[in-house]
Amino acid sequence: MVYCGWDGGGTKTRMEVISGDGRHLSEAVFGPLNLNGASEETVLETVKQAVGCMRETCVDGCGGLVVGMAGVSNREAAEFVREAIRGAGYSGPLCLVGDHEIALAGAVEGPGAILIAGTGSVLYGRDPEGRLFRAGGWGYLIDDDGSGYAIGRDILRAVVRACDGRNEKTVLTELVLERLQAQQVQDIITWLYAPQTGKKEIASLATLLFPALKDGDASACRIRDQAANDLAALVLSGWKHAGMRSGELVFTGSVLEQTDEISQRVWEQVQQAQPEICRTEAHGTPAWGAACMARQQFSMKI
């Protein structure tokens, strides 16, 4: 018997197939699975291709499938994907979970947590008794501190505050104007409140922080420090709430993986406050974590 896991994202879906004893068998990549960034037709085609590949790979039958995807708490989106999988011909055991759940399952084998800082931010972990815990991840309107969205928002805030003299001038102004092909700060506001501008578009501006930091820009340095402080607070509050002192910690997401100046500052604060925490690389991919969850959840039912 084999088990399958999908890591459904906004641009691609990764599939991993493992054996009953946990060995890697095969993997494949398909199109997007997230309805927030793709049409229903595109998602249906992704599901059709993935289920077809499973049918060819799992010739002796699939013991279970776990699909991890962002926005699974949206019942309509989750039900659409579930019905699409059934409609494509998969009739075996099936479970849909959040993308942070499969990321944790793939990254950390024992007690520990993953700190995710991409478009959004969250700490998600498991204590020594197997109980799950989290900190953050309440959405960009009220939370997501230290995320790409928060950095992009703070970049725009620095630009408008510099424009009217509340802050010193910043190189971020020219960087944003160039990125948006705008002539003046007022054009940035027009872009910001346009119907097609959402959290992903604002988060994409976070990459402008890097060249500004190289110039030693004061506003950029403040944004960097605030992001690092907020992300460190997620780790420390999560560990405290779980009553833990040690465990593995994995950094993931574009903010932490692409910005050493932020990730290093986060780690320094964590080390100082909780020196028994061990920072490690992920043991496996989220798709592998999803497959392992399928094996753990469904193998006892066969």
Side-chain angles (χ1 to χ4, degrees):
M1 190 64 68
V2 300
Y3 300 89
C4 191
W6 294 6
D7 174 18
T11 58
K12 58 181 175 291
T13 297
R14 295 186 180 275
M15 183 181 79
E16 179 101 18
V17 180
I18 65 173
S19 64
D21 57 3
R23 290 179 293 109
H24 164 80
L25 295 178
S26 67
E27 58 187 332
V29 179
F30 308 97
L33 197 68
N34 191 335
L35 285 169
N36 289 331
S39 66
E40 292 185 354
E41 292 76 15
T42 299
V43 171
L44 286 171
E45 181 60 25
T46 295
V47 170
K48 179 182 177 181
Q49 292 179 6
V51 171
C53 184
M54 283 175 58
R55 192 176 297 114
E56 296 175 1
T57 305
C58 309
V59 291
D60 294 326
C62 179
L65 167 64
V66 167
V67 177
M69 52 184 281
V72 73
S73 56
N74 182 330
R75 294 182 180 178
E76 291 185 1
E79 190 58 29
F80 179 88
V81 172
R82 187 186 303 276
E83 291 182 359
I85 293 172
R86 295 305 191 194
Y90 176 73
S91 59
L94 172 64
C95 181
L96 271 61
V97 299
D99 54 353
H100 57 287
E101 296 182 64
I102 63 171
L104 176 66
V108 178
E109 293 183 346
I114 49 171
L115 176 62
I116 305 173
T119 300
S121 63
V122 66
L123 178 90
Y124 193 64
R126 180 192 311 113
D127 73 10
E129 284 71 45
R131 294 185 294 258
L132 299 173
F133 64 90
R134 65 180 290 167
W138 297 105
Y140 74 101
L141 288 178
I142 58 173
D143 196 18
D144 281 350
D145 294 342
S147 67
Y149 170 82
I151 292 172
R153 177 203 62 205
D154 289 350
I155 286 174
L156 294 174
R157 190 167 185 261
V159 169
V160 297
R161 290 177 70 87
C163 179
D164 58 22
R166 282 182 287 167
N167 280 359
E168 68 277 5
K169 290 184 178 180
T170 171
V171 299
L172 291 167
T173 300
E174 292 303 318
L175 290 169
V176 172
L177 289 173
E178 182 180 359
R179 170 69 64 84
L180 301 181
Q181 298 182 329
Q183 299 298 316
Q184 55 186 349
V185 172
Q186 286 73 16
D187 297 332
I188 297 174
I189 303 306
T190 301
W191 170 85
L192 177 63
Y193 288 100
Q196 65 269 27
T197 302
K199 64 179 182 179
K200 290 183 179 179
E201 288 71 28
I202 295 172
S204 71
L205 299 178
T207 56
L208 300 179
L209 188 67
F210 315 146
L213 288 172
K214 290 182 179 179
D215 282 351
D217 184 81
S219 293
C221 290
R222 283 197 296 270
I223 295 171
R224 172 201 63 198
D225 293 344
Q226 185 62 56
N229 293 343
D230 289 337
L231 293 172
L234 283 181
V235 175
L236 297 175
S237 61
W239 243 261
K240 180 179 179 181
H241 185 71
M244 292 170 55
R245 294 184 59 84
S246 60
E248 293 183 322
L249 175 63
V250 173
F251 285 179
T252 187
S254 57
V255 171
L256 291 164
E257 293 171 352
Q258 299 175 14
T259 319
D260 288 341
E261 290 199 48
I262 291 178
S263 60
Q264 187 59 36
R265 281 170 170 75
V266 174
W267 179 233
E268 287 172 356
Q269 292 187 48
V270 171
Q271 268 193 313
Q272 184 175 5
Q274 291 278 19
E276 295 179 46
I277 294 176
C278 176
R279 182 181 172 186
T280 64
E281 296 296 323
H283 292 279
T285 66
W288 182 77
C292 290
M293 288 179 68
R295 173 174 169 260
Q296 292 166 0
Q297 182 171 347
F298 298 123
S299 62
M300 301 300 293
K301 299 180 180 181
I302 297 175

